[in-house]
Amino acid sequence: MDVTVEVVNEATHEVSVDETATYADLLAAIDYSPQAVSVLVDGSPVPEDQPVGAKSVRVVRLIKGG
């Protein structure tokens, strides 16, 4: 499955994952840690261990360096 991953205020990535992939796997594919971001599907957060079921997600960084 191809998934569009929008990292809010940063970049958009196109990621291909298999049917067993979780949202943590999706984050790993774009080099983000589940501890540093929140994944949103239709505006609601999803658990990192949940299987990917959406074709488009938004990622919000919780920690930003400064």
Side-chain angles (χ1 to χ4, degrees):
M1 166 191 324
D2 292 330
V3 182
T4 301
V5 182
E6 176 195 353
V7 182
V8 176
N9 293 326
E10 290 186 25
T12 300
H13 307 270
E14 295 294 329
V15 180
S16 292
V17 295
D18 64 29
E19 62 277 350
T20 63
T22 64
Y23 287 102
D25 297 328
L26 192 64
L27 291 173
I30 60 169
D31 294 325
Y32 281 91
S33 166
Q35 290 78 28
V37 300
S38 188
V39 178
L40 305 175
V41 174
D42 295 328
S44 297
V46 294
E48 66 187 64
D49 60 350
Q50 182 175 325
V52 176
K55 293 196 180 261
S56 178
V57 301
R58 294 184 84 195
V59 174
V60 178
R61 291 188 64 175
L62 304 175
I63 302 168
K64 193 133 184 170

